[in-house]
Amino acid sequence: LLNRRVKYFNMKGSFSDPYTVRGLTKAGKETVVTAENIVIATGGRPKYPTHIAGALEYGITSDDLFWLKESPGKTLTPFVLNVSLECAGFLTGIGLDTTVMMRSIPLRGFDQQMASLVTEHMESYGTKFLKRCFPTKVEKLESNRLQVTWKNTELGTEETDSFDTVMWAVGRAPDTETLNLKTVGVKTNSETGKIIVDASEATSVPHIYAIGDITEGRPELTPTAIAAGKLLARRLFGQSSELMDYDNVPTTVFTPLEYGCVGLSEEAAVECYGSDNIEVYHAYYKPLEFTVAERDATQCYVKMVCLRESEQRILGLHFIGPNAGEVIQGFALGIKCGATYPQLMKTIGIHPTCAEEITKLHITKRSGLDATVTGC
Amino acid sequence: QEAAKYEKKVMVLDFVTPTPLGNSWGLGGTCVNVGCIPKKLMHQAALLGQALQDSRKFGWQFSEEVKHSWMTMTESVQNYIGSLNWGYRVALREKKVTYENAYGEFVGPHTIKATNKRGVEKLYTAERFLIATGERPRYLGIPGDKEYCISSDDLFSLPYCPGKTLVVGASYVALECAGFLAGLGLDVTVMVRSILLRGFDQDIANKIGEYMEEHGISFIREFVPIKIEQIEEGTPGRLRVTAKSTKENQIIEGEYNTVLLAIGRDACTRNIGLDKVGVKINEKTGKIPVNDEEQTNVPYIYAIGDILQDKLELTPVAIQAGRLLVQRLYAGATRKCDYVNVPTTVFTPLEYGACGYSEEAAVEKFGEENIEVYHSHFWPLEWTVPSRDNNKCYAKIICNIQDNERVIGFHVLGPNAGEVTQGFAAAIKCGLTKEQLDSTIGIHPVCAEV
């Protein structure tokens, strides 16, 4: 920022009028700034389930986890977003006793078949899962440990257990209260609190823009925020007219067995086009590195959702396995170019890799055949 | 297996002529037995060694020094290969393909003689033949080479740790082997006649060499061995290597436990009776020229794989070509194997994935003013905490300015290069342009987003 002569103020900003922002330092000193164009990118912070007794006082969130000075010990992570699964995953991996509590389904919004494979793998690797349960209260014990009480909706029972740490991962909410958006007329979604923007990132007030996690209906991903911001700047000052394309944004969940995806989930494709009009190619494969190490590859799986008509355009690609992010990135480019199944089949695989399994997909779900493939 | 699907009567003749040191192996070809598979597994073994070092910075505590057992690794690798050999035997049997472990040679039109290990001969006739005999490592033709040197054909099943090793050659085989041997803790030297990785992007090839040097591998450049002598027998023994400079009159000597030759491979086409059926081969290289349907000059004889002239020496290419050929012959398909923009990866300590033109080739074909090269160094997130190798990883794409800045070359130097490159190869096959690349969002944090 210094190099590019961007002025940086370490202050909490709020609107006093449509062109004026008031900043307050930690010490309470105030600065007033006016500007022609204003971009809001204040992001989100983890939510606390304040309706659960003890949640705020005794629980932590991911904001705290990465800064903990001591090991979290025996940990419970209730609710199941990718944040909680990823954290539970690495906590288990470093040897801690970790439990994930979920009320209904894991990774809502993601392809559910893939989500189950991810959690199945975590279970076989030692993360405990309390399914169909939700916490009702958190109390502190004399030993300084935490006692959590929860309802098991399947059995209709109430259960308790004690933990060293309870980490909430119930979603993130924008910190729009203190921004004073109402005063200047910037509209937000009443349910989520997120700022409503149009395709050019503009809010309901023409010269005020918003990007990133704080915007309604956008993926909560770093690279999209960065890209949107760059394109916005170019439109405002660089004579460009290019809008941000939010379709086919690839993403990866860094659970112990990683899951990378781009495009539509199978459910979304079926809903959009009808199951008769889509073809799903899939395969269970075994990474070479797992063979000699005798690791379980049961959940290593890849599937491609295509349109069934002649061109067979690829609608979605899903990959579970090591280095899923590295694998998916290049294919996301292909999908941006309108890749079709025949084009992918013309691409020769790199051997031996996991990614090559994608270029070899040929068994359809429709055929009902066993999708286990051998590598070499 | 593909042909058997169409109810053709199929036979496979597979035979491995033992190496000069007596080594042989099972069904599956080079890739499975003495190529990609054991190579990648041993490369992985070396990477795990590095990971152990990194792990301390990530909080893993262990006090003992961790050592590597060559025997344990080789046994595991060979066991896995054995399971693949077995898998192929079973697959062939299930698909009713007749398999004979015998050396095949043409003796007349439509007729082949198969000689097994014990010298028993049988004659077979067939409507069509497919030659996929591959290649074997080349020897230097100097005193002591066949008696005392090993090749990649021997390395992956060597029943003793190779110890202090001299690798002769600068092919990807040479560099990959040197790389993992050093990664396992051995003292490794590479003797190079001229340039590294001939045929690959030279800018990247040099970066690979630099990285290997910085990580403890010695390079002796512009020398060739002229004599190998045994000082002491043993497993391993001790060898004296005498080498001559390619530029001046300098002679040097060195002592090593093992000398690994990786100077190239020669096609196995000279002793299979091709002259008896009139199949033309390139007399100099031994390779077989074929048309774009893998057909030789004799209409009923086809060829695929490493023995083909002007084609790529890669397993997946051979497999794809073979499958498509059979589909054209027996399933009425018309699709031909697409040899353009085939991606590849070199599994050196710093991995290199590539697809399309090297920078030199692009400049030669299109002219320097018509191409644009975008490049970047990057530092994998996983390497930051252990403070490893800042600014060594590198990515570049080469675009054709005249064709809408179409991406015609992709090169990445970094971890998991193969996984990264595969998807980009698919995108290039879809006609990827720089603009489309720019508008694709990165996955964060991964190396591929660079």
Side-chain angles (χ1 to χ4, degrees):
Chain A
L1 289 181
L2 261 173
N3 281 345
R4 285 189 169 63
R5 299 209 207 102
V6 175
K7 276 216 187 96
Y8 164 61
F9 297 99
N10 185 206
M11 301 181 196
K12 198 169 165 84
S14 62
F15 283 95
S16 30
D17 74 48
Y19 291 90
T20 312
V21 174
R22 199 169 137 255
L24 266 179
T25 66
K26 246 193 312 215
K29 182 165 164 252
E30 192 182 289
T31 309
V32 172
V33 181
T34 57
E36 218 174 284
N37 295 290
I38 300 176
V39 179
I40 308 171
T42 48
R45 297 299 292 273
K47 288 197 287 216
Y48 280 82
T50 46
H51 60 282
I52 296 171
L56 192 56
E57 299 93 299
Y58 307 126
I60 64 166
T61 67
S62 57
D63 275 7
D64 308 295
L65 179 67
F66 302 116
W67 297 89
L68 282 184
K69 290 206 162 57
E70 278 161 14
S71 165
K74 181 179 174 193
T75 307
L76 172 72
T77 70
F79 300 97
V80 193
L81 302 177
N82 42 340
V83 171
S84 63
L85 284 187
E86 289 172 331
C87 293
F90 69 69
L91 290 173
T92 308
I94 59 175
L96 301 177
D97 178 348
T98 314
T99 307
V100 175
M101 185 181 291
M102 39 193 217
R103 187 186 199 124
S104 61
I105 59 172
L107 295 176
R108 187 178 297 274
F110 286 84
D111 185 289
Q112 282 303 295
Q113 178 193 19
M114 307 308 279
S116 327
L117 288 170
V118 164
T119 53
E120 246 172 63
H121 180 267
M122 288 176 70
E123 254 178 308
S124 68
Y125 260 75
T127 305
K128 302 193 198 122
F129 279 80
L130 288 169
K131 298 182 188 169
R132 306 223 183 287
C133 299
F134 65 92
T136 49
K137 68 177 172 208
V138 180
E139 298 160 297
K140 194 153 203 172
L141 299 169
E142 260 176 35
S143 59
N144 257 348
R145 295 187 85 219
L146 303 170
Q147 172 116 320
V148 180
T149 311
W150 66 86
K151 272 215 171 64
N152 183 320
T153 61
E154 203 162 280
L155 303 174
T157 54
E158 200 175 75
E159 288 153 22
T160 69
D161 194 0
S162 57
F163 300 89
D164 295 308
T165 305
V166 175
M167 194 193 91
W168 304 108
V170 299
R172 295 168 71 82
D175 200 7
T176 44
E177 294 298 303
T178 47
L179 286 173
N180 240 353
L181 296 176
K182 281 212 188 71
T183 324
V184 292
V186 171
K187 289 208 176 68
T188 60
N189 177 306
S190 50
E191 229 185 273
T192 61
K194 293 196 180 189
I195 300 178
I196 300 171
V197 290
D198 66 16
S200 66
E201 285 27 287
T203 65
S204 47
V205 180
H207 65 278
I208 301 180
Y209 303 86
I211 54 168
D213 293 6
I214 200 175
T215 52
E216 176 67 33
R218 305 282 196 233
E220 289 178 10
L221 296 169
T222 304
T224 45
I226 295 178
K230 280 200 178 124
L231 288 177
L232 172 64
R234 285 192 203 139
R235 287 195 303 275
L236 288 175
F237 309 114
Q239 287 113 37
S240 159
S241 54
E242 196 188 332
L243 291 173
M244 176 70 190
D245 183 358
Y246 286 98
D247 278 338
N248 291 323
V249 173
T251 183
T252 297
V253 183
F254 293 95
T255 31
L257 198 56
E258 299 175 8
Y259 166 36
C261 60
V262 59
L264 299 178
S265 65
E266 196 177 330
E267 307 87 277
V270 167
E271 201 184 304
C272 206
Y273 298 96
S275 58
D276 278 343
N277 296 319
I278 62 162
E279 195 78 86
V280 181
Y281 295 91
H282 66 156
Y284 284 94
Y285 69 95
K286 191 163 190 174
L288 183 62
E289 292 76 4
F290 281 34
T291 57
V292 162
E294 289 173 6
R295 282 174 63 181
D296 180 14
T298 317
Q299 289 89 18
C300 290
Y301 178 74
V302 55
K303 88 175 162 183
M304 187 158 65
V305 181
C306 309
L307 281 175
R308 207 168 164 201
E309 44 83 356
S310 59
E311 222 190 44
Q312 291 189 294
R313 192 162 53 88
I314 301 171
L315 301 170
L317 182 62
H318 303 264
F319 175 89
I320 291 184
N323 305 304
E326 309 292 2
V327 171
I328 290 287
Q329 182 71 86
F331 287 98
L333 253 100
I335 287 178
K336 187 115 328 221
C337 301
T340 63
Y341 176 72
Q343 279 174 317
L344 223 70
M345 289 308 109
K346 262 172 76 170
T347 309
I348 307 259
I350 298 173
H351 186 67
T353 60
C354 295
E356 65 176 313
E357 297 302 335
I358 295 176
T359 63
K360 288 153 60 180
L361 286 170
H362 61 285
I363 298 166
T364 60
K365 277 199 177 177
R366 184 168 272 118
S367 69
L369 293 170
D370 176 13
T372 312
V373 295
T374 51
C376 202
Chain B
Q1 290 183 59
E2 188 76 22
K5 259 203 317 216
Y6 304 109
E7 268 136 55
K8 295 291 152 186
K9 207 160 149 230
V10 189
M11 164 182 272
V12 169
L13 291 178
D14 181 60
F15 189 83
V16 180
T17 307
T19 71
L21 294 173
N23 243 340
S24 171
W25 49 85
L27 181 61
T30 300
C31 172
V32 167
N33 294 290
V34 289
C36 331
I37 300 296
K39 175 265 298 283
K40 183 103 193 279
L41 289 172
M42 294 199 177
H43 169 69
Q44 173 72 352
L47 289 177
L48 287 172
Q50 176 71 71
L52 278 169
Q53 296 308 315
D54 287 354
S55 72
R56 287 186 203 268
K57 289 268 172 61
F58 281 94
W60 291 100
Q61 296 166 336
F62 46 97
S63 45
E64 336 93 67
E65 204 199 294
V66 178
K67 291 197 287 265
H68 183 260
S69 159
W70 176 268
M71 299 310 300
T72 306
M73 174 183 72
T74 324
E75 198 181 310
S76 303
V77 170
Q78 288 301 317
N79 279 342
Y80 178 63
I81 293 175
S83 74
L84 291 178
N85 298 143
W86 177 249
Y88 280 119
R89 302 273 306 246
V90 169
L92 289 183
R93 199 176 22 231
E94 278 176 2
K95 295 202 164 63
K96 303 213 181 51
V97 174
T98 315
Y99 160 63
E100 285 235 359
N101 184 209
Y103 187 93
E105 336 166 43
F106 285 99
V107 290
H110 290 273
T111 315
I112 206 159
K113 176 176 79 174
T115 312
N116 73 6
K117 252 193 306 226
R118 282 174 303 255
V120 175
E121 288 174 10
K122 285 199 215 161
L123 286 178
Y124 295 100
T125 57
E127 200 185 314
R128 291 195 176 92
F129 294 84
L130 176 61
I131 309 171
T133 47
E135 303 177 305
R136 295 300 291 272
R138 192 177 299 152
Y139 281 79
L140 285 165
I142 58 170
D145 67 352
K146 290 215 166 99
E147 298 90 308
Y148 307 122
C149 297
I150 65 167
S151 72
S152 57
D153 277 2
D154 308 291
L155 180 65
F156 302 112
S157 54
L158 207 61
Y160 53 84
C161 180
K164 180 178 175 191
T165 304
L166 173 70
V167 177
V168 181
S171 57
Y172 74 81
V173 175
L175 296 187
E176 286 175 342
C177 291
F180 72 70
L181 289 173
L184 299 175
L186 303 179
D187 177 344
V188 177
T189 306
V190 182
M191 186 176 286
V192 175
R193 187 174 54 93
S194 63
I195 61 172
L196 298 179
L197 295 174
R198 186 178 297 276
F200 287 86
D201 185 290
Q202 282 301 293
D203 172 32
I204 307 260
N206 290 326
K207 284 183 162 46
I208 292 176
E210 259 168 48
Y211 184 90
M212 288 172 73
E213 251 176 315
E214 278 164 19
H215 286 258
I217 298 170
S218 315
F219 278 78
I220 300 177
R221 316 278 298 234
E222 295 175 341
F223 272 84
V224 287
I226 52 172
K227 186 167 59 175
I228 319 274
E229 295 162 293
Q230 187 176 62
I231 305 172
E232 195 185 303
E233 247 184 79
T235 52
R238 273 175 18 196
L239 302 171
R240 181 178 296 117
V241 179
T242 312
K244 182 170 173 326
S245 158
T246 58
K247 295 263 148 94
E248 320 117 340
N249 268 330
Q250 209 194 347
I251 304 266
I252 55 170
E253 268 180 18
E255 201 181 295
Y256 304 91
N257 294 121
T258 299
V259 176
L260 171 67
L261 297 181
I263 55 171
R265 293 169 70 77
D266 290 320
C268 299
T269 50
R270 312 259 187 203
N271 295 318
I272 55 173
L274 291 181
D275 50 321
K276 301 245 170 35
V277 281
V279 172
K280 282 207 182 62
I281 65 170
N282 178 313
E283 276 309 319
K284 196 169 146 228
T285 62
K287 296 216 174 181
I288 304 180
V290 291
N291 62 15
D292 65 359
E293 299 193 329
E294 286 82 32
Q295 197 178 32
T296 67
N297 62 310
V298 178
Y300 65 92
I301 300 181
Y302 300 83
I304 52 167
D306 293 3
I307 53 173
L308 296 191
Q309 176 162 290
D310 298 328
K311 298 281 197 275
L312 300 154
E313 292 178 12
L314 296 168
T315 303
V317 172
I319 294 179
Q320 178 90 315
R323 282 218 178 100
L324 292 179
L325 168 65
V326 168
Q327 284 169 10
R328 289 194 305 272
L329 290 176
Y330 304 118
T334 49
R335 217 175 104 205
K336 300 188 197 170
C337 187
D338 188 348
Y339 290 98
V340 171
N341 290 328
V342 175
T344 180
T345 297
V346 181
F347 294 96
T348 29
L350 193 56
E351 296 180 8
Y352 167 36
C355 184
Y357 288 91
S358 65
E359 200 173 326
E360 310 84 273
V363 167
E364 200 186 305
K365 173 115 195 204
F366 299 96
E368 202 176 323
E369 55 305 349
N370 293 318
I371 62 162
E372 194 76 80
V373 181
Y374 295 91
H375 68 155
S376 172
H377 278 101
F378 63 96
W379 201 19
L381 183 63
E382 292 80 357
W383 293 10
T384 54
V385 162
S387 305
R388 206 146 56 81
D389 300 308
N390 171 14
N391 237 26
K392 293 291 174 213
C393 295
Y394 181 73
K396 80 176 168 186
I397 57 161
I398 303 167
C399 302
N400 182 350
I401 300 178
Q402 296 180 317
D403 181 18
N404 221 6
E405 272 211 300
R406 199 160 309 276
V407 177
I408 56 171
F410 170 89
H411 303 264
V412 67
L413 193 58
N416 303 303
E419 307 294 358
V420 173
T421 304
Q422 183 71 87
F424 285 90
I428 288 177
K429 191 75 38 190
C430 299
L432 180 70
T433 62
K434 177 70 170 45
E435 197 184 324
Q436 286 169 318
L437 193 116
D438 286 344
S439 71
T440 304
I441 305 287
I443 297 172
H444 184 73
V446 297
C447 294
E449 66 177 317
V450 73

